[in-house]
Amino acid sequence: MRPNALNYPHHCTVLLITVGLAAFGILGTIVSLNTFIANSQMLPYSCRCTSHSHSLCFSKSHTWAYTAILQSRVSDRFEPGTNATLLRNCTIFTGENNGTVVVHGDILLDKGIIKRLGKVTQREIDNTPNLTIIEANGAWVTPGLVDLHSHLGILSTPVLTGAFELNSRNGPILPWLRSIDAMNTHDDAYELAIAGGVTSAQILPGSGNAIAGQAFVIKLRKTKERTPSSMIIEPPHSLNGSDLLYEYSPFRWRHLKQASGENIDYYGNRMDSAWSMRSAYHEARKVKNAQDEYCANAEAGRWNLLNEPFPESLQWEMLVDVLRGRVKISNHCYEAVDIDSIVRLTNEFKFPLASFHHASEAYLVPDLLKRTWGGTPTIALFATNYRYKRESYRGSEFAPRILADEGIPVVMKTDHPAINNRYLLHEAQQAHHFSLPDNLALTSVTSVPAAAAGLSHRIGVLKKGADADIVLWDSHPLQIGATPAKVWIDGIIQIPVPSKTDTQNNVEVGMGKDGEEWKQIPKTPNWDRERNETLDWDGLPPLQGRKRQDAVTFINVQKVWLRNDDGEITEAASFRNDTPGTVIVENGKITCMEFNCIVRQNLSGDIINLKGGSISPGLMTYGSPLGLQEIEGEPSTGDGELLDALQRNIPRLLDDTGGVVRAVDGLMFGTRNALLAYRSGVTLATSSLARPVLLTVPGGHLIAGLSATFRTGSAHAMESGAIIQDIAALHVAVSHSHPMFEGNSVSVSTQIAALRRLLHGWESTNKETGLWFRRASEGTVPLIIDVDNADIMATLLILKSEIENSIGSRMKMVFSGATEAHLLAKEIGEADVGIILSPIRPFPAVWDQRRILPGPPLTNDTTLVTLLEHGVTVGIGVREAWQARNTRFDLDWARLESNGRISEHQVYAMATTDLERLLGVRAVEGVELVAFEGGGLFDWSSKAAAVISPQRGLVDVF
């Protein structure tokens, strides 16, 4: 604004604010505002919004008071016609005081805000019209979850090329871009996220640019306006180009995404990235200095020096606001070298940083974090999602606890769709399992991310005047499988999903969770030794166990499960709490299993106290490249690229039309993902060369070769028992084009035509391709088809019938992935086709996976339940190697999600006997047993203490 354009009706502003504040009886604020306005009357408006000494933008005490005043009656997001709601008899996690404040009482929601928390009087109830009363029966209530790192709407699901808005290729420095300009309101993941209790998310641009653009924090519910702008919480005043809506409007934070490290290599190396940031901030500082000089002249009355317009730059105005402390920056950053670079940048240009994201090495450099200008930033982490690229290689499940011990705020996030937004709470649950205190685990997805975004006065907390974003849970939120029974956003019910027809959506939630134990904070193992070792070894502690071939004695054993002669898992021993059992193992074999073994045999050697734990057969994992690569993003650490016979000629050297190869030839032992799986009770893996459909991977080729089964804890292929089966099954993959790699695929009809030809036996059995496809068509080896789309599955079922009728065989066909298999459950069951659900919890990442059955609280049925009810044999798998370690929790979650329709024994078989049958794994000689301390295989309180290996004649002690 030009200096002589001071025609704003200040007296009207003062009068309106005074009248408004008087209505609330806040006379002190009236005086403060009058004094403030009087002192700034003679300044140009631009200077008053720039000057630290005069700007209301920086008068936080006035800002928050003003915001609270506005919110004490009605939310700016309130939609007329919304009923008030009273939740009675709740256990309320408020998120306040580091999550230590838990209130037993009621919550009154009205006009989009929390009107009362604790004791709601009968008078308030009587004076609240259109009130819906809900009896919570002591259930847990939390603030709506806040995801600080999400790409909802700009990387929409299912992913299509027309709505892929993640990164710009127009340069490394783009602070003028805004994620809201690309946010798709039709993303299927909004509803899924709400079904997980997530009510708010920060929508960040991608990490392909050093300064990627402006971010926005949104509510996930769709508004009546149906626009991206209407979803923003406290839209910045600059969003519509008018700066401040009113001259004295409350301060509102802006948000910016920065990135450093590997992802910006499109524009050069780390040095290039650092220079591009420094250069940009230097330009912004020049603009800021010119503004400050302009305003200094105005404050001093040197009007003769103000001959030019106020110095502004649309290009650099965002970074100018960063330098003025008005912006919450989220910085994508992994390694210590990159964290150090950004910390130096903040000190060079003197601006605060709100949060480091991913930050896989942040726990190793806490003192460096504390040197950030303006204060220590919040660290936003994954729980166990690491080792997918070099800079994430040292990431640790113990990082949240280590950082918390240093007094550094911790946030758990999803980076949706890297992890489905719906499972944000599971990130906090895992952090808690690995020793983050329960209060901090819950604040890591509520009040701490809200504070990092500058919005803790309205979201992430439950208190009077805060937004009415509430989640009522079916169990304690840190219990595995905790599911929202009800979700409100702005006081508007979202879960159960309001019906669009006259038919009500009656979805059962929490069946089988009636006991008081489900309302308790789950117990967790003691990880002190492992956490300390992680620090001692700079993030890469040795993962191999101590190998004991002499006697090892397990005491305080509750149960022992073994495989019988038919390979089935049965309970072999069960001991009472008052007389716990003892199990003695010599040379890897159980020699005694009674309550008085030590007395009878008087053996020495290692004594391991299982503290009421159990011993049971290990699990098997399938579906990921486990054992075929160390770091997904580093080609030199893996088997390499598979040849695709449909897109290039197979080299004559192979002398084979389809180029069928064997995974066993590319196996790598001792990878960190394999050893972590081993230490988590996953002792076997079947891996193929089929690549699962991922957003960053173009997907598998039609002919994916022959899988192999191996022991995850073995040192090398020549160790006794390391390779269980060098050939397990033949694998193919059939799918539509990948949205991001369209040129890397051929038509579905071409893929089916090739498969038909191969299965009919029209290739010579003298070559690998003809031999193995002939065996698959005859049913002597399983044919595992990686497929998600129901229409393609139907075509494959027809093809199976055609082949069987032609040659008189019974094929062993299995669909892996199988996201849409529930649509054909009856036909799949009748065709005797097996299913490997990979992953067990579906997500519509691409078009082939869009028709999911999400389960409670959106649907009563899950894909798993539907298939089992139609007699289908089901196994479970994962798509990425780091996920293998979580298999036992995936199984228990699937059981809980079934609302009592699936037993523990059934889910156990899905990663043992049933999965082995589906993959053609014959009877395993010397089944390894896992000894769990503090509980059983599926208990959140337990951890693997040892693996008993009869085949190798030893016990691995962890």
Side-chain angles (χ1 to χ4, degrees):
M1 183 176 290
R2 297 181 183 276
N4 59 353
L6 301 177
N7 56 359
Y8 193 88
H10 300 295
H11 61 283
C12 295
T13 303
V14 174
L15 178 61
L16 288 172
I17 294 176
T18 302
V19 170
L21 294 175
F24 291 93
I26 304 181
L27 299 178
T29 306
I30 299 172
V31 174
S32 299
L33 281 172
N34 273 306
T35 303
F36 174 83
I37 294 169
N39 288 341
S40 60
Q41 282 290 307
M42 297 305 298
L43 285 178
Y45 169 60
S46 298
C47 290
R48 293 204 302 278
C49 279
T50 302
S51 169
H52 283 236
S53 59
H54 290 93
S55 176
L56 185 57
C57 300
F58 282 83
S59 184
K60 299 293 196 302
S61 60
H62 292 305
T63 299
W64 304 140
Y66 189 83
T67 304
I69 290 165
L70 289 176
Q71 292 186 346
S72 64
R73 293 289 180 89
V74 61
S75 168
D76 56 346
R77 302 182 57 79
F78 172 66
E79 293 196 357
T82 303
N83 280 7
T85 302
L86 174 65
L87 281 74
R88 275 182 160 161
N89 188 24
C90 312
T91 304
I92 306 165
F93 174 83
T94 67
E96 296 195 283
N97 293 343
N98 264 351
T100 59
V101 179
V102 175
V103 175
H104 298 275
D106 311 329
I107 307 178
L108 178 62
L109 315 177
D110 193 18
K111 300 295 191 298
I113 62 171
I114 297 173
K115 285 297 183 70
R116 181 75 64 188
L117 186 147
K119 177 64 175 176
V120 179
T121 67
Q122 188 61 46
R123 180 179 178 182
E124 288 175 300
I125 294 172
D126 293 340
N127 290 336
T128 305
N130 302 317
L131 180 65
T132 300
I133 299 177
I134 295 172
E135 175 57 50
N137 295 313
W140 281 89
V141 171
T142 69
L145 307 186
V146 181
D147 194 345
L148 195 63
H149 190 132
S150 178
H151 302 297
L152 272 167
I154 63 170
L155 188 50
S156 300
T157 52
V159 174
L160 298 169
T161 55
F164 189 88
E165 310 287 354
L166 192 62
N167 295 308
S168 171
R169 290 299 193 187
N170 290 323
I173 303 298
L174 303 168
W176 46 86
L177 298 188
R178 306 184 299 188
S179 66
I180 199 67
D181 292 330
M183 198 181 84
N184 176 18
T185 58
H186 303 295
D187 190 336
D188 288 353
Y190 290 122
E191 184 175 83
L192 293 174
I194 295 171
V198 182
T199 58
S200 302
Q202 180 174 216
I203 310 304
L204 296 165
S207 53
N209 312 93
I211 300 179
Q214 298 165 41
F216 295 83
V217 182
I218 66 166
K219 297 282 187 82
L220 302 193
R221 74 170 178 88
K222 295 184 179 180
T223 66
K224 288 184 177 179
E225 188 178 304
R226 301 183 181 183
T227 64
S229 296
S230 63
M231 298 170 73
I232 302 172
I233 309 171
E234 295 193 355
H237 298 296
S238 59
L239 181 61
N240 61 7
S242 62
D243 201 7
L244 297 182
L245 183 60
Y246 300 106
E247 190 169 351
Y248 301 107
S249 294
F251 174 80
R252 290 181 174 179
W253 287 106
R254 304 178 72 185
H255 301 85
L256 181 70
K257 169 71 177 292
Q258 294 185 166
S260 50
E262 295 179 20
N263 283 24
I264 310 114
D265 59 3
Y266 185 84
Y267 297 107
N269 59 26
R270 281 177 163 84
M271 293 180 287
D272 291 307
S273 177
W275 165 247
S276 67
M277 283 189 173
R278 293 183 65 227
S279 177
Y281 276 108
H282 177 64
E283 294 300 317
R285 185 165 56 185
K286 289 194 291 187
V287 176
K288 174 184 175 293
N289 289 342
Q291 291 177 348
D292 290 347
E293 181 182 358
Y294 186 99
C295 291
N297 287 330
E299 288 177 346
R302 295 189 289 266
W303 306 107
N304 59 311
L305 299 178
L306 305 180
N307 297 320
E308 298 294 330
F310 182 76
E312 294 179 292
S313 169
L314 186 60
Q315 182 179 16
W316 301 116
E317 59 86 20
M318 185 62 177
L319 297 190
V320 171
D321 264 4
V322 169
L323 298 180
R324 296 197 182 282
R326 299 173 177 170
V327 179
K328 295 288 188 179
I329 298 176
S330 297
N331 207 117
H332 164 112
C333 200
Y334 283 84
E335 294 185 272
V337 59
D338 300 313
I339 297 172
D340 184 55
S341 176
I342 296 300
V343 168
R344 281 188 278 106
L345 183 74
T346 68
N347 283 283
E348 179 180 1
F349 291 94
K350 295 182 172 47
F351 63 86
L353 191 78
S355 50
F356 277 121
H357 291 236
H358 304 306
S360 57
E361 294 187 14
Y363 71 99
L364 297 173
V365 289
D367 291 336
L368 171 61
L369 298 172
K370 295 172 184 178
R371 290 200 295 271
T372 305
W373 194 92
T376 306
T378 295
I379 306 301
L381 300 166
F382 289 128
T384 55
N385 181 5
Y386 294 109
R387 295 168 298 283
Y388 48 88
K389 57 181 176 177
R390 192 197 66 84
E391 61 185 2
S392 73
Y393 193 60
R394 293 174 189 266
S396 172
E397 61 270 38
F398 305 116
R401 170 64 184 273
I402 294 169
L403 289 164
D405 286 347
E406 290 284 344
I408 297 172
V410 173
V411 159
M412 306 311 296
K413 47 80 179 172
T414 66
D415 189 16
H416 175 91
I419 292 175
N420 185 351
N421 253 136
R422 182 180 181 183
Y423 304 126
L424 173 63
L425 183 63
H426 188 50
E427 295 298 293
Q429 291 168 347
Q430 292 177 83
H432 178 238
H433 174 73
F434 289 110
S435 73
L436 184 66
D438 59 278
N439 60 305
L440 299 183
L442 285 178
T443 60
S444 74
V445 290
T446 53
S447 54
V448 176
L455 291 167
S456 58
H457 56 293
R458 3 184 356 164
I459 63 173
V461 293
L462 297 181
K463 62 183 179 181
K464 184 179 179 180
D467 285 15
D469 300 344
I470 309 287
V471 185
L472 175 67
W473 300 92
D474 69 348
S475 55
H476 189 285
L478 293 178
Q479 292 276 3
I480 185 75
T483 302
K486 296 184 184 296
V487 178
W488 292 264
I489 300 180
D490 300 320
I492 305 171
I493 192 73
Q494 305 293 310
I495 300 291
V497 177
S499 176
K500 296 181 176 65
T501 66
D502 294 335
T503 304
Q504 292 300 310
N505 299 323
N506 296 316
V507 178
E508 294 285 348
V509 175
M511 290 182 66
K513 298 182 180 179
D514 300 325
E516 283 300 313
E517 68 273 16
W518 289 101
K519 295 180 181 179
Q520 305 303 312
I521 300 167
K523 295 179 180 178
T524 59
N526 185 307
W527 298 99
D528 290 350
R529 176 176 56 82
E530 293 88 341
R531 190 168 64 251
N532 291 331
E533 287 177 352
T534 298
L535 288 172
D536 291 342
W537 288 85
D538 204 24
L540 296 177
L543 297 176
Q544 297 84 356
R546 292 186 296 110
K547 302 187 184 306
R548 303 307 305 263
Q549 292 180 315
D550 55 357
V552 176
T553 302
F554 297 94
I555 62 173
N556 288 325
V557 180
Q558 195 72 43
K559 289 185 178 182
V560 178
W561 298 79
L562 299 174
R563 288 204 178 190
N564 60 23
D565 294 339
D566 296 326
E568 300 299 320
I569 297 171
T570 59
E571 185 178 293
S574 180
F575 304 98
R576 300 199 311 266
N577 290 332
D578 56 345
T579 56
T582 298
V583 175
I584 294 179
V585 177
E586 298 177 84
N587 296 318
K589 295 180 175 61
I590 294 177
T591 59
C592 183
M593 192 165 52
E594 299 177 8
F595 69 90
N596 62 348
C597 285
I598 295 179
V599 175
R600 184 164 63 82
Q601 295 193 17
N602 194 28
L603 294 174
S604 58
D606 277 17
I607 297 177
I608 300 174
N609 186 354
L610 292 188
K611 303 174 183 177
S614 68
I615 297 174
S616 56
L619 305 171
M620 182 166 75
T621 184
Y622 165 76
S624 77
L626 192 74
L628 292 169
Q629 62 181 205
E630 178 71 38
I631 305 173
E632 179 188 325
E634 291 291 338
S636 65
T637 71
D639 178 60
E641 182 69 20
L642 188 66
L643 297 174
D644 186 354
L646 288 182
Q647 296 212 67
R648 66 177 77 170
N649 291 327
I650 300 298
R652 293 183 61 185
L653 181 64
L654 293 180
D655 192 25
D656 184 46
T657 301
V660 170
V661 293
R662 305 183 181 195
V664 69
D665 297 330
L667 281 181
M668 303 166 57
F669 288 84
T671 66
R672 295 193 73 81
N673 281 319
L675 291 175
L676 284 167
Y678 183 64
R679 294 174 70 102
S680 302
V682 181
T683 57
L684 297 179
T686 297
S687 293
S688 77
L689 300 168
R691 290 192 299 190
V693 176
L694 299 170
L695 293 180
T696 56
V697 177
H701 306 315
L702 174 66
I703 301 175
L706 302 163
S707 56
T709 303
F710 62 98
R711 297 188 194 272
T712 56
S714 293
H716 53 77
M718 298 184 70
E719 186 179 65
S720 176
I723 296 176
I724 302 296
Q725 202 165 306
D726 57 354
I727 295 176
L730 174 63
H731 295 256
V732 300
V734 183
S735 68
H736 291 100
S737 299
H738 192 287
M740 306 314 301
F741 303 94
E742 187 175 357
N744 286 7
S745 62
V746 297
S747 70
V748 169
S749 54
T750 301
Q751 296 171 63
I752 296 295
L755 195 56
R756 177 181 289 110
R757 184 177 189 278
L758 293 170
L759 290 173
H760 269 294
W762 297 337
E763 280 293 320
S764 170
T765 55
N766 292 328
K767 306 294 175 63
E768 288 282 273
T769 298
L771 172 66
W772 289 104
F773 275 93
R774 183 67 179 180
R775 290 182 177 179
S777 62
E778 292 173 345
T780 58
V781 65
L783 178 64
I784 314 297
I785 306 177
D786 198 75
V787 56
D788 285 299
N789 180 266
D791 296 305
I792 298 177
M793 289 185 216
T795 299
L796 291 167
L797 292 177
I798 295 170
L799 178 61
K800 177 178 182 290
S801 177
E802 174 189 324
I803 299 298
E804 291 174 342
N805 291 334
S806 173
I807 66 176
S809 66
R810 191 68 174 169
M811 293 179 65
K812 297 178 181 176
M813 183 177 284
V814 177
F815 295 154
S816 175
T819 301
E820 296 186 351
H822 60 96
L823 298 173
L824 290 169
K826 177 177 177 291
E827 291 77 9
I828 290 171
E830 291 173 347
D832 195 25
V833 169
I835 295 290
I836 302 175
L837 291 175
S838 176
I840 186 65
R841 296 183 299 278
F843 178 66
V846 296
W847 191 256
D848 275 2
Q849 303 163 347
R850 73 190 186 282
R851 295 174 290 188
I852 69 170
L853 197 57
L858 296 176
T859 63
N860 279 309
D861 291 331
T862 64
T863 300
L864 176 59
V865 168
T866 303
L867 291 168
L868 291 177
E869 288 180 345
H870 285 86
V872 180
T873 301
V874 181
I876 76 158
V878 296
R879 293 185 180 246
E880 298 181 73
W882 65 269
Q883 297 170 328
R885 68 181 300 180
N886 296 326
T887 299
R888 66 187 183 114
F889 298 135
D890 288 342
L891 291 169
D892 197 37
W893 196 343
R895 177 183 67 85
L896 293 169
E897 199 174 41
S898 75
N899 278 331
R901 289 179 285 175
I902 303 177
S903 69
E904 192 173 278
H905 189 269
Q906 281 179 290
V907 294
Y908 199 173
M910 293 174 196
T912 52
T913 52
D914 286 348
L915 183 59
E916 291 165 12
R917 292 189 190 100
L918 291 171
L919 290 169
V921 179
R922 297 180 291 274
V924 179
E925 183 180 350
V927 173
E928 291 180 315
L929 305 173
V930 184
F932 287 97
E933 173 192 307
L937 171 68
F938 298 120
D939 292 327
W940 201 242
S941 60
S942 70
K943 69 174 182 179
V947 172
I948 302 166
S949 182
Q951 181 72 15
R952 293 184 290 161
L954 54 80
V955 176
D956 269 323
V957 180
F958 304 134

